[in-house]
Amino acid sequence: MSLTDSRILPNLYDGLATRPLLSPSFIFPRRSAFPSHPGFLITPVINDNPNQTNGSHVYRPHTGKFTAKNSVAIPSGPPSTLLDLPVGSLQPAQLPPPTKNVAADWYAPLPLTIPDLDSLTRERKGKMPALSHLLSVGCGRGLSITADENFIYAGCQSKDNEIAVFSRSSLQPMYRLMGHEGSVLALLFIEDKKWLVSASSAGDVRIWSTKTLELIYIIHPCDDTAGDIYSLAWDQREGGTLYFGSQSASIEWVNFAGPGPVRRRQISAAAASTVEVVPLSQNGVDPVSARPGPSQRTGRYKPHRFFDNPPEGGSSTGSGTNSPRSPNVGATPISSRKEFFTSADLDKLSLNERAEHSATELAIGAESRIAFAHYGYIYALQMIARPKGRKWLVSGSGDSDVKIWECEAGGGLNLIREFNSLPGGVLSFAVRDFLLYAGLQAGEIVVWDLETGACIRTIEAHDADVLSMSVLGGDVYTAAADGRILRVNDEFDCTAVWQAHSGTVMNSVIVKGEKQGGWEMMTTGSDSFVKIWNIDLPKSSGHDSELDVEGEGDVMLYALSKLVAVPTVSDEAHRESCRQGAHLLKKILSQLGASSEVLSGEQGKNPLVLATFTGRDIGKPRKRLLFYGHYDVQPADEDQWETNPWELSGRNGYLYGRGVTDNKGPILAVACAAASLRQRRELDVDLVMIIEGEEEAGSRGFASTVRKHKSDIGHIDAVLLSNSTWIDEADPCVVFGMRGVVYANLSISSKDEDLHNGVDGGATTEPMYDMIRVLGGLSDEEGVKVPGFYDTVRPPTDEELSLLRDVSSASGRSLEELVRVWRQPSFSIANINSSGSGNKTVIPKKVKADISMRIVPDQQLEEIVKTLKDYCKQLFDGLGSPNAFQIEVTHSASWWLTSLDSPYFKALESSVQDVWGVRPLKIREGGTVPTVFWLEKEFGAPCVHLPLGQSSDAGHLANERMRLLNLRNGKRVLESYLTRLASI
C-alpha cells in the first residue's frame, strides 16, 4: 500500500487528549429538536477535520442499517453501481420505549428507529441485556476498561489521566492509579501474572500489580518515538511477551523471561506513580466528580529522557533505586508483602515509603520492533491460540489492512497472511471459534475464516466507527461511536440492539458476574460513565468438551445427523456449505477427544480437516495410523428421494441420507472407535485423520495441501481408508486392489460456424465424422487398440484366481466378469457433445468427447498417458482433415494393490472376523480412489481398505443408505484393528 493512499487515517482520534469535554449535564438533542428530515438522526462524532475548531461537532445522516452480505460479488449492474435494496422485514430487536425524563437518559437505553432493509442478517429477537449499574469516572471520559475478580479498571482522559479503580463487590470507586502523562488508551489484564497493563498517548506502557496496585514496570518504546500506544496483546509462553501497537505504525515487544535485549534503567521521581485513595462520603458520592474539568494538555506529550542528569550521591529522592530489578519478576521475594493493601494502608503510604517496592524502567531495543509493520496507526491487536501451543498475533491499522503474524516463543513475529484494501481503517477485533471479526471505520464488520483465509461475511452493523467487540459463547457484541451496541449470534443474526451510551462507546469487556453462572459486560464511553450490563451465555455454547461415546452408537448417530444435514457438495454452488461442513467436522472430532484443525486447500478449493487421537504412553514409540476420508458428497436430486437427503432418517434398520455411506458414516465410525478406546484408556496407537472436501471432484489440491502440512502429520506406519462397499449384502469384505484411471477430453473443431446440412451438407468436412472415426480407432470388440496397452498387464496367479473363485461363489457373479472388472484394463466413452443446438439440420462446428481408461498392475500411468495422446493425434492426422484436434488429460490416478502377506492387512482380516464371526472375502474393485496410491507412496506406508457398507447402499444415487448394523459393527471392527496395530 502506498504511503499516499487516501485511506490512511493519520488524524483519527488525535483530538482525544485536546478537545474540550462535554459536561455530563449536556444531553444531545433528540430528533424532534431539529428540522424534520427523513432518516436523519443527529449523532455526535469525533471531529476528524483539522480545519474545524476544537469542540465543533460533525453531524452525519443516520441510516440505521444493519445488513450482512456474503463476500461473493453480486452480478447485477456494473461494478460502480450501488444497489438499492428493496424494503424488507428487518426490525430493531426489542428496543425499549422512549424515556420521558431527560435525566434518566444516562441510565436507560435510547430508542432507535431502523428502516426496513432486505438483509442477509436476520433479526432474531432475544433477551435484552439489562443495565445493572452505572459508575462515574468524574469529569473525564473513559477510553479503556478491563476487570479482574476484585476490581474494575477504567483508563481515563482527564486532568490527571488516571486509571479509576472500582470495587467489584461494592461497585464504589476505591483508588486512582496516577502517573500517565497522557490519556490511557488501552488496558489489559493478565490473569497468570496478576498484572494490569496500561498504555497511553504519552507513549509509555505501565505494568501494575493487581494484588498491591504497585507499579512494577514502565516500558518505553524504541527511541521513545512511538507516539500514542493504542493496542496491547499478551503471549504467555517463555515467561510472557507483551506486544503493543502504536501511532508510529510499529509493533514492539518485551519478554519477561530474563534480561534479554531490553535496556533497563532506574525509575525517576518525575515518572513515578501514585495510588490515590478515593475518599467516600456517607452517601457514597464520588468526590472526584466535583473536581475542576480536565486540562487541555496535549496527548502528544513526549516523555523526557530519564536520568540524563542523575542525582549526585547515587540515590534518588524519588521512588527509584540505583539497582533496578531484573525483568524476571519471579525473582523478587514477596513473602513480606501483604496479599492486598487496604484503603487505610494505601492512604498512609507516601511516595518514599513505597520506594522499597521499586519499579523497573525498561526501554525496547531495535531488535524487538517491527518498524512500519503497517502504513497507518496500529489501532488493534489480537492474540489467538493455535494448535500445538502456537500463537498468532492479528494486527489492524488505519491503512485498512489486517495482518496475521506467527509469534515466536519468547518474542518475535513472522508475517504469514494479509487481508488488504478493506473499506475503512481497522479499529477492533474479536475472535469466535475459528472466525476473525474486524470492526472498521464507518461501521462495517468483516468476518474471515481463520483456517482458510476466506472472507465469509461483511456486516453493515453501525453508522460510526466500530471501536470495540466482545465475545461470549457464540455471541459477538459490537460497540461503536454511534453509542449503540449490537449482539450478533453465531449465524450472523442480530439478536439485540440498544443505545448503550449517549456518546461514543469507547471500549467493552465481558467477565464472569458476581452471581454464579452469570456474566457481565462492562462498557465505557465519552459520556463519562462505566455501565455494567447483565448478559446471558448463549444456549448453543459449551459444546467443545469431550463427549462420552460409550453409550453404544447414540453419539455417533447424533454426530452423523449433524454432518448429513450440511449439503457438502463439492461444486462452486456449495463452497460455503463445504466450509461450514469442514468446521463442523473439526468441532465433532475435537469433542470426541482429537486435536483437530481445518487446513485451507488451494485457492478456490474446499478445506481439509486434520485431527489426531493421541494414544496413551506405552513405554515405547507408538504406531501411527493415517485414516483418509472425504466429507464432500455427490449432488442429490431431491425429487427422486423418498425422504429429505439432507436429513438423517431411519427405516427398517437402515439410515438414509446423502453421504451416510460415502463417506460420512465411515469417518465417524473410525473417530468414535478411537474415542471409545481412548476413554477406556486402551488406545495404544496414534490415529491421524486427514479428511478432504474435493474427493468427488478429483481431489483437487489434496496433494499440495498434505505436503504443506506433512510435518504436522508426522511419521506414518500404515494408511487406512473406508470408501467402498461389500460385493453383496451378507459377506463382509476387505479390499486389496483397485484399478487406476485416466480421464481425457478430445476436441475437434472447424474454422466455420455451425452450418445447415441442407445447404452445406456434403461440401464440408464435419467435425462429428472426424470424432467418430478417432473414437472408433481407439477400441473395438477385441479391446483397446492403443499400441502396447496390454503389454505390461500382470498375469494372474493361482492364489489370486482362488480368491476370485471364492468371491464368485459367494456373490453369484461369474469368474470371467470379476476378472474383467477387477484385473483387466478397460476403455469407455463417457459422452459426446457438440456446439449445435441439437437440431437434426445443424452441422456443429465443434465436437467434444470425454473418455476414460481404467488401468491395472503393472501398467505405468505416465507411459499410458503419453501413448494415448500420441495415438489419438496419429489417428486424427491419418484422416487428412482440415479441422483442428486437441486432447487434454483432465485427471489420472495409478492403480493400487497391497500385499496379502502384509501384517497390517492380516490384522484387518482378523479384526473383521472378530466382530462378524467369519473370515472376510478378499476383493478388488474396478473403481478408483485417486489418493490411495499417492498416500502410500508419499508416506512410504502400506495401505489397507475396509469397506463398511453393503452393495445396495446406492452411494451416488437417490436414497443413499447404510445399514445401522454395519455402522455399529464397523466401529467395533475398527476398535479391534486399532488394538491389534499396537502389537505389530
Side-chain angles (χ1 to χ4, degrees), residues 534-550:
N534 291 330
I535 58 177
D536 295 325
L537 183 69
K539 294 181 180 179
S540 59
S541 64
H543 293 309
D544 290 330
S545 57
E546 189 171 332
L547 296 176
D548 180 8
V549 294
E550 286 301 292

Side-chain angles (χ1 to χ4, degrees), residues 380 382 394-397 400-403 419 422-432 435-441 443-448 450 455 457-462 465-469 476 478 492:
Q382 179 77 41
V394 185
S395 60
S397 167
S400 303
D401 291 348
V402 171
K403 295 186 178 182
F419 304 128
L422 301 179
V426 182
L427 307 178
S428 57
F429 286 128
V431 174
R432 179 183 66 78
L435 299 180
L436 172 66
Y437 293 68
L440 308 184
Q441 181 194 25
E444 288 190 353
I445 299 170
V446 183
V447 186
W448 291 277
L450 279 171
C455 178
R457 192 63 62 99
T458 296
I459 305 173
E460 297 180 3
H462 295 272
D465 306 342
V466 182
L467 299 181
S468 178
M469 291 187 287
V476 177
T478 70
F492 306 107

